[in-house]
Amino acid sequence: MLEELKQQVYAANMRLPKLGLVTFTWGNVSGIDRARGLFVIKPSGVGYDVLTPEDMVVVDLKGDVVEGRLNPSSDTLTHMVLYNSFPHIGGIVHAHSPWAVSFAQAGVDIEAMGTTHADTFYGDVPVTDALTQEEIESAYEENTGKVIVKTFAERGLEPDAVPAVLVKQHGPFAWGPTAGKAVETAKILEVVAEMNYHALQLTRADIRVPQYLLDKHYYRKHGANAYYGQKSK
Amino acid sequence: MLEELKQQVYAANMRLPKLGLVTFTWGNVSGIDRARGLFVIKPSGVGYDVLTPEDMVVVDLKGDVVEGRLNPSSDTLTHMVLYNSFPHIGGIVHAHSPWAVSFAQAGVDIEAMGTTHADTFYGDVPVTDALTQEEIESAYEENTGKVIVKTFAERGLEPDAVPAVLVKQHGPFAWGPTAGKAVETAKILEVVAEMNYHALQLTRADIRVPQYLLDKHYYRKHGANAYYGQKSK
Amino acid sequence: MLEELKQQVYAANMRLPKLGLVTFTWGNVSGIDRARGLFVIKPSGVGYDVLTPEDMVVVDLKGDVVEGRLNPSSDTLTHMVLYNSFPHIGGIVHAHSPWAVSFAQAGVDIEAMGTTHADTFYGDVPVTDALTQEEIESAYEENTGKVIVKTFAERGLEPDAVPAVLVKQHGPFAWGPTAGKAVETAKILEVVAEMNYHALQLTRADIRVPQYLLDKHYYRKHGANAYYGQKSK
Amino acid sequence: MLEELKQQVYAANMRLPKLGLVTFTWGNVSGIDRARGLFVIKPSGVGYDVLTPEDMVVVDLKGDVVEGRLNPSSDTLTHMVLYNSFPHIGGIVHAHSPWAVSFAQAGVDIEAMGTTHADTFYGDVPVTDALTQEEIESAYEENTGKVIVKTFAERGLEPDAVPAVLVKQHGPFAWGPTAGKAVETAKILEVVAEMNYHALQLTRADIRVPQYLLDKHYYRKHGANAYYGQKSK
């Protein structure tokens, strides 16, 4: 079942090592079929060199495996919470990419400091609160999803406009309309984190961009008035 | 039309990913035919893996597309302003290369700190002012060109001697006599930015080089008395 | 003798350059046959481009060469001490990987700052004391092993739970149940060091993770209740 | 003439881009035939992708070209001074490798902070004084050599024991018994600079190694009692 989606999610997973986002098996991508309420995700701990489309695992929105001979990613329930809470997203990536993890460990938001950021993220990429002891000891992966949702709610962020987050002491999750787009966003997050890190070491000034630059660059690429790229026919 | 220039501009664009200067489609190169008053530029948002010489777009010096079935780079009007204002330049590159963007975000000039810099840039590479809200909301790309021209005028810089700039909160533009040379300058800017960043973290001393070192190294490679490289026959 | 182990140790050594852990010949891997009390180690100063499985040297637990036409790694006696003192380990890696060496030179522990760390290391990776003049001038390599063992004893660390160390002014040693696993741990140490370095530059706050996060992530991957990856049949 | 030496010097030059030590043509290697008093050096400004052994230029110890149809490296007279002043060296490298240049620009010695350093450099790698205006305006390349020789004399350094230097505001020179060994030393200098940079950002403590560690590691690899590597037959 869902053979086309499996193929897409497989291809999206395979881009992670090519884009330098994973060491060993430290990453996973999923994609959802919203009509059926099922998502497809990488199996846990399987190397990218041996992964096949058939290895992908099908999971429902309660987190139960519907098809697949392998265990799904240990982060499956985090993906589930995000799919249930963010109704427009079609794909999710988690990866221990080094620059984004550094910010997650430091507990420092990736602030919007330039157009590279504003082209993809309509504002700062937030760091969540740390999970409490109780949240970690019970339903850890589900609580990881919940702390992301809580962060977006508390800060009044729109997940379609800010398609990534840093889970404190852990690392990034990124998402998008498809698994493939989510992977591109994860790469952009990594590059933006690298640029921000170096900018922060160069100056102690507040170098966040103003709202009107965010507006200009974000809407140059997104929405009805976007004019970057080629018009789809 | 301009088939040879299209081929050159295409080849120059294709060097950007090879030199590590772009992520995804974040860069564009143009080249001008001064006799005809037309420049050739990469189409907007087209991946380097599918780009062909025929995809190049021909634009006149008012910014109107003269030939091409694709939209030109969204930065086309910035290129136009630079071609109109800097009469000797034959090619322009814009790329979100990480080290140069970090300086642009921090608003820190790339100061001349050594011979690597002085071989190509006869003095500091300046950061422009940030665009104002009005400049961003109206004719954004044209105003990006204008703030570059204003920066060179206010600082008394000669664009042929300092063939690059950092647009604040955005990133670098580099130029040269041809599209190919502009790409080399963009790469040199990136390497020089990396070296300067690390030097700045190692010391708080003022480590700008004196004028006589700039003179020596710049004119070792440029002008009538240059003695680097092989004499052209 | 020990042909299969030689093959494994050879293959583990060959992963060092592929994983970016060595420059020239600056690394060595060994693996032990506990039943026979013999370990196999890379020969000293032989380039990875010419290394063969037959070049591996067999050494006993007193440090004497039992088989092999080449000199064993100059660090052989350090490996010997670790095999004698840490009875569960099956493979050891030493490499001058740049991030881990930077921490070893600075004398700064690689603190547990996130889940990437906690997945592999159940607590901080310690830096040893510097060797004294006497320890360096007599039985240097053996004393390098002893200062590692002393560090683990003094800090009450379990070598199976914290499978790596930084020898001050020198660099990392990592180990594991097999030579291959030890190489993976050496790579993880390098990535974790890189992430920690950048996190430390981003904040002066104490960003060590709490014990309950260490418990959760370490035991998600290790021990009877591990649920990461696929069950072995 | 000197066909074998040309071949060696060509091969040594070709290792510079493979080892990541040069951007474009920013590096040159030479090697000397002491018996004839002639050295062979890369031609100026020729790309590594088109370089051939026949392009190598033969120069005598007064700096005059003896054979070759191309201009020799613009740094030829610096090489000449070093060959005349340091009688044991057989090969020299100059490259604008980014980490070493950063230290040269900052004017910060590469201090001996660990065994990686001590294996090759028997003490700190010094930064020279900056050249004066007069030294730059007259006989610049020769004066670059002279300031290196002066630095070694003033600090009482032995060029065979500390086979590299950083010319202030410029970059590194490295040397060795052959052109090939000099290239390896240039690479080691780059890696050691990278490690030192990161160690310096991690701590403000004085982390230079003691003399007895320098003695141990340097003489483990050099001199009559060296025991690293395989005995030459």
Side-chain angles (χ1 to χ4, degrees):
Chain A
M1 64 192 297
L2 299 175
E3 298 308 320
E4 196 180 320
L5 184 59
K6 277 182 196 165
Q7 191 67 46
Q8 287 168 17
V9 171
Y10 165 76
N13 271 288
M14 294 305 288
R15 290 185 75 187
L16 293 184
K18 276 183 201 120
L19 290 168
L21 296 173
V22 292
T23 303
F24 300 126
T25 60
W26 304 351
N28 45 74
V29 184
S30 70
I32 193 167
D33 181 325
R34 286 281 177 190
R36 302 207 200 178
L38 297 173
F39 65 98
V40 165
I41 193 163
K42 178 176 179 290
S44 183
V46 175
Y48 293 98
D49 50 337
V50 296
L51 196 67
T52 67
E54 295 71 41
D55 291 339
M56 300 297 117
V57 184
V58 181
V59 182
D60 68 22
L61 284 168
K62 281 177 278 182
D64 292 323
V65 171
V66 172
E67 190 203 67
R69 48 191 173 68
L70 295 167
N71 296 336
S73 164
S74 58
D75 300 307
T76 296
L77 298 188
T78 310
H79 291 242
M80 176 198 72
V81 170
L82 295 181
Y83 284 125
N84 283 324
S85 305
F86 296 164
H88 300 140
I89 68 179
I92 299 171
V93 178
H94 172 54
H96 289 240
S97 54
W99 288 105
V101 168
S102 299
F103 278 79
Q105 291 189 163
V108 174
D109 289 357
I110 300 181
E111 295 182 353
M113 291 184 183
T115 60
T116 320
H117 185 111
D119 281 340
T120 299
F121 303 107
Y122 188 54
D124 301 349
V125 175
V127 182
T128 68
D129 288 339
L131 293 186
T132 64
Q133 180 161 4
E134 201 191 322
E135 287 168 339
I136 285 178
E137 292 179 352
S138 65
Y140 172 62
E141 289 83 8
E142 213 168 325
N143 287 329
T144 299
K146 287 181 180 168
V147 81
I148 296 171
V149 174
K150 186 185 73 158
T151 299
F152 273 66
E154 284 177 0
R155 296 215 195 176
L157 299 175
E158 167 56 53
D160 300 330
V162 180
V165 73
L166 304 176
V167 177
K168 192 162 179 175
Q169 298 167 338
H170 188 156
F173 284 80
W175 49 80
T178 63
K181 280 287 178 189
V183 169
E184 289 183 16
T185 300
K187 175 66 180 180
I188 294 169
L189 183 71
E190 186 68 2
V191 175
V192 166
E194 178 185 355
M195 291 169 171
N196 272 30
Y197 173 88
H198 291 125
L200 284 169
Q201 306 298 312
L202 284 168
T203 179
R204 289 164 192 241
D206 181 353
I207 52 176
R208 278 201 210 172
V209 296
Q211 183 61 36
Y212 50 84
L213 187 145
L214 274 177
D215 287 341
K216 179 68 191 178
H217 262 266
Y218 189 73
Y219 291 114
R220 202 166 86 139
K221 282 204 169 179
H222 301 86
N225 297 317
Y227 59 97
Y228 180 91
Q230 307 300 325
K231 290 256 163 38
S232 314
K233 288 136 204 174
Chain B
M1 64 193 296
L2 300 175
E3 298 309 319
E4 196 179 321
L5 184 59
K6 277 183 196 165
Q7 191 67 47
Q8 287 169 17
V9 171
Y10 165 76
N13 271 289
M14 293 305 287
R15 289 184 75 187
L16 294 183
K18 277 184 200 116
L19 290 168
L21 295 173
V22 292
T23 303
F24 300 126
T25 60
W26 304 351
N28 45 73
V29 185
S30 70
I32 192 167
D33 182 324
R34 285 281 177 191
R36 303 209 200 176
L38 298 173
F39 65 98
V40 165
I41 192 164
K42 178 176 178 292
S44 182
V46 176
Y48 294 98
D49 49 337
V50 297
L51 196 67
T52 67
E54 294 72 41
D55 291 338
M56 300 297 118
V57 184
V58 182
V59 183
D60 67 21
L61 284 168
K62 281 176 279 182
D64 293 322
V65 171
V66 172
E67 189 202 69
R69 46 190 175 69
L70 296 167
N71 297 335
S73 163
S74 57
D75 299 308
T76 295
L77 297 189
T78 310
H79 291 242
M80 178 198 70
V81 171
L82 296 181
Y83 283 125
N84 283 323
S85 305
F86 296 164
H88 301 139
I89 69 180
I92 299 172
V93 178
H94 172 54
H96 288 239
S97 55
W99 288 105
V101 168
S102 299
F103 278 78
Q105 292 188 162
V108 174
D109 288 357
I110 300 181
E111 296 181 352
M113 291 183 182
T115 61
T116 319
H117 185 111
D119 281 340
T120 298
F121 304 106
Y122 188 53
D124 300 349
V125 175
V127 181
T128 68
D129 288 339
L131 292 185
T132 64
Q133 181 162 2
E134 200 192 322
E135 288 168 339
I136 285 179
E137 292 179 354
S138 64
Y140 172 62
E141 290 82 8
E142 214 168 326
N143 287 328
T144 299
K146 286 181 181 169
V147 81
I148 295 171
V149 174
K150 186 186 74 157
T151 298
F152 273 66
E154 283 176 0
R155 296 213 196 178
L157 298 175
E158 167 55 54
D160 300 329
V162 180
V165 72
L166 304 176
V167 177
K168 192 161 177 176
Q169 298 168 338
H170 189 157
F173 284 80
W175 49 80
T178 63
K181 279 288 177 191
V183 170
E184 287 183 17
T185 300
K187 175 67 179 180
I188 293 169
L189 183 71
E190 185 69 2
V191 175
V192 167
E194 178 185 355
M195 290 168 170
N196 272 31
Y197 173 88
H198 290 125
L200 284 169
Q201 306 297 312
L202 283 169
T203 179
R204 289 164 191 241
D206 182 353
I207 52 176
R208 278 201 209 171
V209 295
Q211 183 61 36
Y212 50 84
L213 186 145
L214 274 178
D215 287 340
K216 179 68 191 178
H217 263 265
Y218 188 73
Y219 291 114
R220 202 167 86 140
K221 282 203 168 178
H222 300 86
N225 297 316
Y227 59 95
Y228 180 91
Q230 307 301 324
K231 289 255 163 42
S232 313
K233 287 137 205 170
Chain C
M1 65 192 298
L2 300 174
E3 298 308 321
E4 195 180 320
L5 184 59
K6 277 182 196 166
Q7 190 68 48
Q8 288 168 17
V9 170
Y10 165 76
N13 271 288
M14 293 305 289
R15 289 185 74 187
L16 293 185
K18 277 184 200 120
L19 290 168
L21 295 173
V22 292
T23 302
F24 299 126
T25 60
W26 304 351
N28 45 73
V29 185
S30 70
I32 193 167
D33 181 324
R34 287 282 177 188
R36 302 208 199 177
L38 298 172
F39 65 97
V40 165
I41 192 163
K42 178 177 179 291
S44 183
V46 176
Y48 293 99
D49 50 337
V50 297
L51 196 67
T52 67
E54 295 71 41
D55 291 338
M56 300 297 118
V57 185
V58 182
V59 183
D60 69 22
L61 284 168
K62 281 176 280 182
D64 293 323
V65 171
V66 172
E67 189 202 70
R69 49 193 172 70
L70 297 166
N71 297 336
S73 163
S74 58
D75 300 306
T76 296
L77 298 189
T78 311
H79 290 241
M80 176 198 73
V81 171
L82 295 181
Y83 283 126
N84 283 324
S85 304
F86 297 164
H88 300 139
I89 69 180
I92 298 172
V93 178
H94 172 54
H96 288 239
S97 55
W99 288 105
V101 168
S102 299
F103 278 79
Q105 291 188 163
V108 174
D109 288 357
I110 300 180
E111 295 182 353
M113 291 183 183
T115 60
T116 320
H117 185 112
D119 281 341
T120 298
F121 304 107
Y122 188 54
D124 301 348
V125 175
V127 182
T128 68
D129 289 339
L131 292 186
T132 64
Q133 180 162 4
E134 200 191 324
E135 287 168 340
I136 285 179
E137 292 178 353
S138 65
Y140 172 62
E141 290 82 8
E142 212 168 327
N143 287 329
T144 299
K146 285 182 181 169
V147 80
I148 296 171
V149 173
K150 187 187 74 158
T151 299
F152 273 67
E154 284 176 2
R155 296 216 195 174
L157 298 175
E158 167 57 52
D160 300 331
V162 180
V165 73
L166 303 176
V167 177
K168 191 162 179 175
Q169 299 167 337
H170 189 155
F173 284 80
W175 49 79
T178 63
K181 280 286 178 190
V183 170
E184 289 183 15
T185 299
K187 175 67 179 179
I188 293 169
L189 183 71
E190 186 68 2
V191 175
V192 166
E194 178 186 355
M195 290 168 171
N196 272 30
Y197 173 87
H198 290 125
L200 283 169
Q201 306 297 313
L202 284 168
T203 180
R204 290 164 192 241
D206 181 353
I207 52 176
R208 278 201 210 171
V209 295
Q211 183 61 36
Y212 49 84
L213 186 146
L214 274 178
D215 286 341
K216 180 65 191 181
H217 262 265
Y218 188 73
Y219 291 114
R220 202 167 88 139
K221 281 203 168 178
H222 301 87
N225 297 317
Y227 60 96
Y228 180 91
Q230 307 300 324
K231 290 255 163 40
S232 315
K233 287 134 202 175
Chain D
M1 67 192 295
L2 300 175
E3 299 307 320
E4 195 180 321
L5 184 59
K6 278 182 196 165
Q7 190 68 48
Q8 287 168 18
V9 170
Y10 165 75
N13 271 289
M14 294 305 288
R15 289 185 75 188
L16 293 184
K18 277 185 199 118
L19 290 168
L21 295 173
V22 293
T23 302
F24 300 126
T25 60
W26 305 349
N28 45 73
V29 185
S30 70
I32 193 168
D33 181 323
R34 286 283 177 189
R36 303 208 200 176
L38 297 172
F39 64 97
V40 165
I41 192 164
K42 179 177 178 291
S44 183
V46 176
Y48 293 99
D49 49 338
V50 297
L51 196 67
T52 66
E54 295 72 40
D55 292 336
M56 299 297 118
V57 185
V58 182
V59 183
D60 69 22
L61 284 168
K62 282 176 278 182
D64 293 322
V65 171
V66 172
E67 190 203 69
R69 49 191 173 71
L70 296 167
N71 297 336
S73 165
S74 58
D75 300 307
T76 296
L77 298 189
T78 310
H79 291 242
M80 176 198 72
V81 171
L82 296 181
Y83 283 126
N84 283 324
S85 305
F86 298 164
H88 300 139
I89 69 179
I92 299 172
V93 179
H94 172 54
H96 288 239
S97 55
W99 288 105
V101 169
S102 299
F103 278 79
Q105 292 188 162
V108 174
D109 289 357
I110 301 182
E111 296 181 353
M113 291 184 182
T115 61
T116 319
H117 185 111
D119 281 341
T120 298
F121 304 107
Y122 188 54
D124 301 348
V125 175
V127 181
T128 68
D129 288 340
L131 292 186
T132 64
Q133 180 162 4
E134 200 192 321
E135 288 168 339
I136 285 179
E137 292 178 354
S138 65
Y140 171 62
E141 289 82 8
E142 213 169 327
N143 287 330
T144 300
K146 286 182 181 168
V147 81
I148 295 171
V149 174
K150 186 186 75 158
T151 299
F152 273 67
E154 284 177 0
R155 296 214 195 178
L157 298 175
E158 167 56 53
D160 300 330
V162 179
V165 72
L166 304 177
V167 176
K168 192 162 179 175
Q169 299 168 337
H170 188 156
F173 284 80
W175 48 79
T178 63
K181 280 287 178 191
V183 170
E184 289 183 16
T185 300
K187 174 68 178 178
I188 293 169
L189 183 71
E190 185 69 2
V191 175
V192 167
E194 177 185 355
M195 291 168 169
N196 272 30
Y197 173 88
H198 290 125
L200 284 168
Q201 305 298 313
L202 284 169
T203 179
R204 290 163 192 242
D206 181 354
I207 52 176
R208 276 200 211 172
V209 295
Q211 183 62 36
Y212 49 84
L213 186 145
L214 274 178
D215 287 341
K216 180 65 191 180
H217 263 265
Y218 188 74
Y219 291 114
R220 203 167 86 139
K221 283 202 166 177
H222 300 86
N225 296 317
Y227 59 96
Y228 180 91
Q230 307 301 323
K231 289 256 164 38
S232 314
K233 286 137 204 170

